[in-house]
Amino acid sequence: MLCYYLQSFIRYGPSEYSSYCAERLRRTLANGERSEPPCWVELQVGKNKKPISVAVGLMDGRSISLTVDSASTSAEVCSAVIQKINLQDTYGFSLYAAMYEKIWSLGSSSQHVLDAVSMCEQEEKRQGKEEQHAPWRLYFRKEIFTPWHNCSSDQVSTELIYKQTIHGLKSGDYQSDKVSPGYLFELGSYINSTKPAFEVKEEIVQYAQEKWPIYFSKLYEAQIISGPSVPQDKFVVVVNWKGVFFQDVTEAAFLQLSYPEVSGIEMSEEESGGIVCLTTPKGMYELQVVKGKDLVELVNLFISGLKKRSQYAVGIQDLIRQEDPTLLSYRRGDVLYIIKDGEYSSEEGWIKAKNERTNQTGAVSLDAIRILAMLTRPTEETLVNMILLFHTNLWRKILLSTGHYYVNCFYQCFECSCHLVPLSIGHRESKEGGRGKGVAKERLWANSKEPLKQPLLRSLQGNSELCHLASDCFTDILPDYPVKHVRTPIDLTNQIFGSVTAHVDLRDEIYCQIMKQMTNNNHGMERGWQLLWLCCGLFPPSQLLLRHAQRFLESRTREPLASTCLQRMQTMLSIEGRKLPPHQVEVDAIQNNSTQIFHKVHFPNDTSEIFEVTTTTRIKDLCRNIAKDLRLSSSDGYSLFVKTSTKVSDMISFKYFFDNLRQLTDVVKKGKKVKEAIVPYLVLFMRKLWFNVIPGKDITADLTFHFPQELPKYLRGYHNVSKEEMISLAGLLLRVQVDTNKSQFVMIPRMLKDLVPVDQQKIMTPDDWKKHIINAYNKQAGITVDEAKLQFLKTISQWPTFGCVFFEVKQTSEKSYPSVITLSISKQGVSIINPKAKEVLVKHPFSKITSWSSGNTYFHLTIGNLVQGTTLLCETSVGYRISDLLSSYKDMYLNEIPRVRKSKRINM
């Protein structure tokens, strides 16, 4: 109603403005409201009512001049560019905004172009400059490929993407471990090719699409609401032509889904952001996604496009139609090749297909199959996942469950679904002595002293690397097969499970190999059960093998480890599998016939305790257990660390304890000789993040962690402290050292390193220090050692540097700073300190810190926003520790925001 009155008001306004304002209102109503204030250029053209002229750069060096208004969207600008350059293959091109070194996508839909310009001007103004001089730019670039992209379909498109690829490499836009020297070498072979120019450009574009999909992806911020376990609650959903990926802050994908593995994606609610329901072989994920509607539309577009172009389907039920030759017969799991000759109408629910197993052709009902969202023939793993997605059962029921009979049944169950995961060894049938087909099969699935020449599962055939790895595993499982070198138990488990944890396709194979060697075996059963116990705690068998593995264990009720193995297997079904082979501690435990595993944890006050850990104990769970055992008020802010001879590394909260332990100690092992393979290490439990630390609130935490962790920082001289405070604190520290034994006063000059900051010891003579410290000690008479520690904490907790972690680094980017500076990191952010004067040069709160990066010899910190920032360049060997600490504080604040919001809602 208000809009109607506004339109009427405008209609009766001055003639020179009425039509102009009416058109602007119409455009705003059509394209939606803006999210940023008008930019400088809008205010200028508003005076003369002229259109706004902008230049859009193309990646081939051209510039397209266009007119826009306040309501112009990226879709409109992209459409205008497409029309001007006669682009035919238009999908995936987007408008980008850039200023200085920053560039970001505006997409090709409803985002307002001048909102981006306004943001650039605002940033320029924040930097103390004039907004009209903000050097913003607009570009037209390829953002994402379709899975069916064809370089030969449009020469204009291919030329633009080719130029973008070359420009990206030269400018460093495409610079990461994804653009390895090997890739660049291969790319160079294309560039230096003698083929026709356009053919070379096609190959380079295809190469960039295939090798660097992350650079041609759309990213969506997401938070898990419910579903299968994921390593972190907040992550990024990455969509590109290869599939859908869940990616953490390190750009590592912890879930990878090809489009055939996405059986459904939809919005469950129409709220802001939306709840996205994503159905996968692991289950359904409910995600809170920024721009969730765009995500759903994009994935569904790719899936529907793939299905439309696909020539492959899979049967989801048995259909035997021997009486009607028109209809095609097939089994569940059969691959069907779709014949698109128009003989049958898909609109009426029928297609023509050929069964690859039987080579027969006939009509197929669309209700009984699933067309695969892929352009190439499906792999065996894809078929398995498709069956899981549609909840079909490919296995016969096992009616016999013990010993000799189990072997035959086990073989038959694999044989009946021979299309999916059949056995690969074709033993000849023996006819001697009346032995027939069944005996040959039984021999295959019984213990053998001969190593396998190829895997048990046909699904691994055709992959020479996996075939070789599977055969190596089998040789190590054999207890009495001769080997050239004597190997320790950990060497054997590394050999057996190292390949399997790295290659998911080998998981069922290793289960089958272990069960084969434990069938009809009178020797080496102890090792077999130990290996199976370890295996069941690393990962579960697939759904196709699960029932048989369960029945194998259920049929051996007399074996002590059978029920434990079954329980471990059931546990692994609902959680993520392990990433690395068993740790030495796990192997030692089962070697000693113990299914309980214990590990020592050390504390800063030089004490330690033994804690039980399981195969699937995560770092955060162990932290909670330790805090509960010590009766700490909370585990928040504490973390586990691994200390080796070369470094101290923080353990990652969401990872499995033994996986993370191996990662941190195996790094050291790589440079060791074989005889030094066991790397000494300590597991430490300490406070990492210093927030809500009030001395006296949690006495156990004060004495066990806060005092022993803060004392070394004080003695190293990181705090700016007065002479009077040093004397008082020295008196407290003397009591900590000697309690009430005054006979030790004579040793005070030699004890100064434990009483006074190292850089302040020379401000007085040792005798003067002794006199002042004794005087302070006497004034504090009557307190205990623990009370002295607590008083020490209460004193230093008043300082702004209390709880900070300090790093001395060499900086090379800021001339006004000393070459050597101290970085102080706390809950407030990062402070840069002059280490000699202990003067704070500048403070950077976390809200102003854009990003950071580190390597073996450097640490870089960027201050500012996405548009403009300054970078502090530092040389240091502990950049990894600085980066980790900053990330932890950032995560702390991100986790705290939902708590605060929830608390406010409750209080309301």
Side-chain angles (χ1 to χ4, degrees):
M1 183 63 71
L2 181 60
C3 183
Y4 172 79
Y5 289 127
L6 178 59
Q7 289 172 324
S8 299
F9 179 84
I10 292 173
R11 191 179 305 119
Y12 292 100
S15 58
E16 66 268 25
Y17 280 100
S18 59
S19 60
Y20 178 72
C21 291
E23 176 59 17
R24 287 173 62 83
L25 178 58
R26 185 193 67 80
R27 292 275 294 149
T28 300
L29 291 173
N31 288 355
E33 63 185 28
R34 293 269 297 276
S35 59
E36 297 293 334
C39 59
W40 180 87
V41 68
E42 289 179 88
L43 298 176
Q44 299 308 306
V45 300
K47 299 174 182 179
N48 52 29
K49 299 179 290 296
K50 291 183 179 180
I52 301 171
S53 179
V54 297
V56 180
L58 304 182
M59 300 316 295
D60 60 3
R62 288 183 290 166
S63 181
I64 305 297
S65 180
L66 301 173
T67 58
V68 297
D69 61 22
S70 298
S72 293
T73 63
S74 57
E76 293 174 335
V77 173
C78 287
S79 178
V81 172
I82 287 168
Q83 187 174 359
K84 282 203 171 190
I85 65 177
N86 194 28
L87 183 67
Q88 302 300 315
D89 184 8
T90 62
Y91 186 82
F93 282 92
S94 295
L95 186 67
Y96 282 72
M99 193 168 88
Y100 297 113
E101 300 301 320
K102 304 296 183 179
I103 183 168
W104 64 99
S105 172
L106 304 182
S108 58
S109 56
S110 60
Q111 187 159 342
H112 289 87
V113 176
L114 294 187
D115 273 351
V117 176
S118 178
M119 291 171 61
C120 293
E121 292 182 355
Q122 292 174 54
E123 177 56 28
E124 192 78 351
K125 190 174 182 179
R126 278 193 289 270
Q127 298 299 324
K129 303 176 184 178
E130 296 181 351
E131 61 261 36
Q132 63 265 35
H133 299 313
W136 55 267
R137 306 177 302 282
L138 298 176
Y139 291 101
F140 183 74
R141 294 165 53 100
K142 184 74 170 180
E143 184 174 20
I144 190 170
F145 288 97
T146 62
W148 52 87
H149 179 78
N150 183 0
C151 291
S152 61
S153 65
D154 183 5
Q155 187 169 348
V156 176
S157 169
T158 299
E159 178 71 18
L160 289 175
I161 303 171
Y162 163 75
K163 291 291 187 180
Q164 179 176 329
T165 302
I166 299 303
H167 179 271
L169 289 171
K170 290 181 178 179
S171 65
D173 290 343
Y174 300 160
Q175 185 177 20
S176 72
D177 57 346
K178 302 171 184 64
V179 187
S180 67
Y183 284 169
L184 295 178
F185 180 81
E186 291 181 40
L187 191 60
S189 66
Y190 288 118
I191 297 174
N192 298 322
S193 172
T194 58
K195 297 178 182 179
F198 184 70
E199 186 176 342
V200 171
K201 292 176 181 178
E202 286 184 355
E203 292 179 345
I204 290 175
V205 171
Q206 290 173 353
Y207 186 90
Q209 176 187 359
E210 174 65 29
K211 299 296 186 180
W212 309 325
I214 190 61
Y215 294 128
F216 300 93
S217 303
K218 287 197 173 184
L219 312 180
Y220 301 88
E221 296 179 5
Q223 180 175 355
I224 187 95
I225 303 299
S226 66
S229 175
V230 293
Q232 58 189 58
D233 292 337
K234 293 184 178 180
F235 47 89
V236 175
V237 178
V238 180
V239 181
N240 54 48
W241 71 272
K242 281 194 169 184
V244 181
F245 308 83
F246 290 2
Q247 180 175 288
D248 59 24
V249 292
T250 66
E251 297 189 1
F254 56 83
L255 178 66
Q256 305 181 33
L257 298 169
S258 63
Y259 288 110
E261 295 174 313
V262 179
S263 66
I265 182 170
E266 59 184 1
M267 300 287 293
S268 65
E269 298 178 14
E270 293 297 331
E271 298 176 351
S272 176
I275 303 298
V276 175
C277 298
L278 178 66
T279 306
T280 75
K282 289 189 174 183
M284 188 178 77
Y285 296 88
E286 287 190 333
L287 308 174
Q288 183 82 38
V289 181
V290 178
K291 296 184 179 179
K293 185 177 180 181
D294 292 345
L295 169 63
V296 172
E297 290 177 352
L298 177 60
V299 175
N300 280 329
L301 173 68
F302 282 3
I303 291 176
S304 61
L306 284 167
K307 287 185 175 181
K308 181 179 178 181
R309 295 165 174 81
S310 176
Q311 291 184 301
Y312 295 96
V314 60
I316 59 173
Q317 57 183 274
D318 292 341
L319 285 178
I320 309 300
R321 304 292 180 87
Q322 296 178 350
E323 73 283 0
D324 189 349
T326 305
L327 302 177
L328 180 65
S329 298
Y330 52 90
R331 296 175 181 170
R332 287 169 291 189
D334 278 351
V335 175
L336 308 179
Y337 179 84
I338 302 171
I339 302 173
K340 300 180 179 180
D341 59 3
E343 184 173 351
Y344 300 104
S345 173
S346 60
E347 295 179 357
E348 296 178 1
W350 294 90
I351 61 170
K352 185 178 180 180
K354 181 176 72 173
N355 187 331
E356 288 193 350
R357 179 177 57 83
T358 64
N359 209 33
Q360 295 177 342
T361 302
V364 177
S365 171
L366 290 174
D367 293 332
I369 65 170
R370 288 295 181 269
I371 296 177
L372 302 180
M374 58 194 314
L375 303 179
T376 57
R377 190 192 184 284
T379 63
E380 304 298 337
E381 179 183 1
T382 300
L383 292 171
V384 171
N385 286 333
M386 290 297 295
I387 297 303
L388 293 178
L389 283 169
F390 301 117
H391 307 290
T392 59
N393 181 9
L394 295 180
W395 301 100
R396 295 178 185 174
K397 293 182 178 179
I398 299 180
L399 301 177
L400 303 174
S401 61
T402 58
H404 172 84
Y405 298 102
Y406 174 83
V407 177
N408 284 326
C409 195
F410 185 67
Y411 178 91
Q412 291 165 6
C413 286
F414 270 76
E415 185 187 49
C416 77
S417 56
C418 60
H419 183 74
L420 286 177
V421 281
L423 301 174
S424 62
I425 300 180
H427 283 237
R428 295 181 178 177
E429 297 177 9
S430 173
K431 297 183 180 179
E432 298 178 5
R435 292 179 298 173
K437 189 174 181 179
V439 177
K441 292 175 182 177
E442 178 182 338
R443 192 180 303 119
L444 175 64
W445 284 99
N447 171 56
S448 171
K449 294 184 180 181
E450 296 298 323
L452 291 177
K453 293 182 173 59
Q454 53 183 326
L456 294 173
L457 304 182
R458 188 180 296 166
S459 59
L460 300 182
Q461 287 186 347
N463 188 322
S464 58
E465 178 188 3
L466 294 184
C467 286
H468 176 71
L469 293 174
S471 299
D472 284 349
C473 291
F474 188 87
T475 301
D476 289 314
I477 290 171
L478 284 169
D480 51 3
Y481 188 77
V483 293
K484 293 182 179 180
H485 304 286
V486 176
R487 286 177 289 181
T488 63
I490 192 65
D491 290 332
L492 292 171
T493 54
N494 285 344
Q495 181 69 27
I496 294 171
F497 296 112
S499 302
V500 183
T501 50
H503 300 277
V504 176
D505 293 341
L506 287 173
R507 290 183 176 181
D508 278 359
E509 176 72 22
I510 199 67
Y511 268 103
C512 290
Q513 289 189 13
I514 294 175
M515 289 189 291
K516 167 183 166 62
Q517 289 306 98
M518 292 174 66
T519 302
N520 291 355
N521 187 355
N522 296 323
H523 303 283
M525 288 298 290
E526 183 179 17
R527 178 195 282 185
W529 278 109
Q530 291 173 353
L531 289 175
L532 190 56
W533 183 86
L534 291 169
C535 189
C536 291
L538 293 176
F539 46 78
S542 71
Q543 290 294 323
L544 297 175
L545 182 61
L546 177 60
R547 178 178 300 181
H548 311 296
Q550 290 174 330
R551 191 60 62 90
F552 180 94
L553 293 170
E554 292 168 352
S555 68
R556 287 153 170 77
T557 56
R558 296 182 179 179
E559 294 291 343
L561 287 178
S563 60
T564 306
C565 287
L566 188 61
Q567 183 179 5
R568 284 162 65 85
M569 183 188 296
Q570 293 289 347
T571 299
M572 294 306 303
L573 289 172
S574 59
I575 59 178
E576 182 185 19
R578 290 271 295 274
K579 304 298 184 184
L580 293 173
H583 189 269
Q584 178 77 56
V585 175
E586 297 174 275
V587 176
D588 288 345
I590 195 62
Q591 284 269 302
N592 292 312
N593 297 316
S594 173
T595 57
Q596 282 186 298
I597 308 171
F598 298 92
H599 205 288
K600 180 181 285 189
V601 177
H602 297 262
F603 306 122
N605 64 343
D606 295 329
T607 62
S608 63
E609 286 192 28
I610 302 294
F611 292 90
E612 182 176 1
V613 288
T614 68
T615 296
T616 55
T617 294
R618 295 187 186 272
I619 308 299
K620 58 183 179 182
D621 298 325
L622 183 54
C623 286
R624 291 194 191 101
N625 293 341
I626 295 173
K628 183 178 179 181
D629 184 81
L630 297 179
R631 297 184 179 180
L632 300 178
S633 59
S634 172
S635 64
D636 292 342
Y638 292 90
S639 186
L640 285 165
F641 298 81
V642 175
K643 181 180 181 180
T644 64
S645 59
T646 58
K647 64 193 302 186
V648 176
S649 302
D650 182 25
M651 303 189 82
I652 303 173
S653 64
F654 62 82
K655 287 192 174 184
Y656 290 125
F657 175 75
F658 286 119
D659 273 356
N660 204 186
L661 195 54
R662 287 208 61 153
Q663 286 178 322
L664 297 175
T665 56
D666 285 357
V667 171
V668 183
K669 272 202 245 182
K670 291 179 180 178
K672 295 283 186 177
K673 298 179 182 179
V674 175
K675 64 180 181 180
E676 301 175 11
I678 299 177
V679 178
Y681 69 88
L682 296 177
V683 174
L684 312 175
F685 182 72
M686 300 186 293
R687 177 171 283 282
K688 180 180 182 181
L689 306 181
W690 293 74
F691 58 94
N692 296 331
V693 177
I694 303 174
K697 183 179 180 180
D698 187 340
I699 300 299
T700 301
D702 289 336
L703 300 180
T704 310
F705 301 98
H706 301 157
F707 176 80
Q709 286 185 240
E710 281 297 285
L711 177 60
K713 289 184 280 185
Y714 170 74
L715 295 177
R716 289 177 190 137
Y718 288 124
H719 301 286
N720 190 357
V721 53
S722 67
K723 179 179 178 181
E724 291 73 19
E725 286 178 313
M726 281 190 286
I727 293 172
S728 176
L729 292 174
L732 294 172
L733 294 178
L734 177 63
R735 189 167 299 278
V736 172
Q737 292 287 329
V738 304
D739 196 2
T740 57
N741 186 4
K742 295 185 178 182
S743 65
Q744 296 295 313
F745 284 1
V746 68
M747 301 298 296
I748 289 178
R750 296 185 181 183
M751 296 168 57
L752 285 180
K753 63 181 179 61
D754 298 317
L755 306 176
V756 180
V758 64
D759 61 333
Q760 300 295 317
Q761 293 174 16
K762 293 183 179 180
I763 66 172
M764 288 191 291
T765 65
D767 287 338
D768 286 340
W769 272 117
K770 177 182 177 182
K771 180 176 62 176
H772 286 295
I773 292 173
I774 292 175
N775 185 43
Y777 174 93
N778 290 331
K779 288 181 179 179
Q780 300 157 356
I783 64 173
T784 65
V785 169
D786 287 348
E787 289 171 341
K789 292 179 180 179
L790 184 59
Q791 186 58 48
F792 173 87
L793 287 174
K794 288 182 177 180
T795 300
I796 69 171
S797 67
Q798 307 302 314
W799 301 343
T801 45
F802 173 68
C804 292
V805 181
F806 302 91
F807 301 93
E808 291 187 359
V809 300
K810 181 180 180 182
Q811 68 89 18
T812 58
S813 57
E814 181 55 58
K815 294 182 179 180
S816 63
Y817 296 165
S819 60
V820 177
I821 59 173
T822 298
L823 294 183
S824 168
I825 300 177
S826 69
K827 63 181 180 181
Q828 282 84 22
V830 178
S831 296
I832 300 176
I833 300 174
N834 184 328
K836 292 185 178 179
K838 298 181 184 178
E839 170 193 4
V840 177
L841 303 175
V842 65
K843 294 181 179 180
H844 297 302
F846 284 104
S847 59
K848 298 296 183 181
I849 299 175
T850 303
S851 62
W852 55 83
S853 60
S854 63
N856 293 332
T857 60
Y858 71 89
F859 171 75
H860 296 169
L861 181 72
T862 301
I863 309 299
N865 56 28
L866 293 174
V867 179
Q868 183 181 14
T870 59
T871 301
L872 179 70
L873 308 179
C874 302
E875 297 177 5
T876 176
S877 61
V878 293
Y880 70 97
R881 289 186 59 196
I882 304 175
S883 290
D884 174 72
L885 189 58
L886 288 174
S887 297
S888 297
Y889 270 114
K890 178 183 176 182
D891 291 342
M892 178 196 77
Y893 283 113
L894 290 175
N895 292 332
E896 192 67 22
I897 291 173
R899 297 181 187 176
V900 173
R901 290 176 177 171
K902 181 178 180 181
S903 175
K904 287 182 178 179
R905 288 196 297 268
I906 293 173
N907 293 333
M908 291 174 63

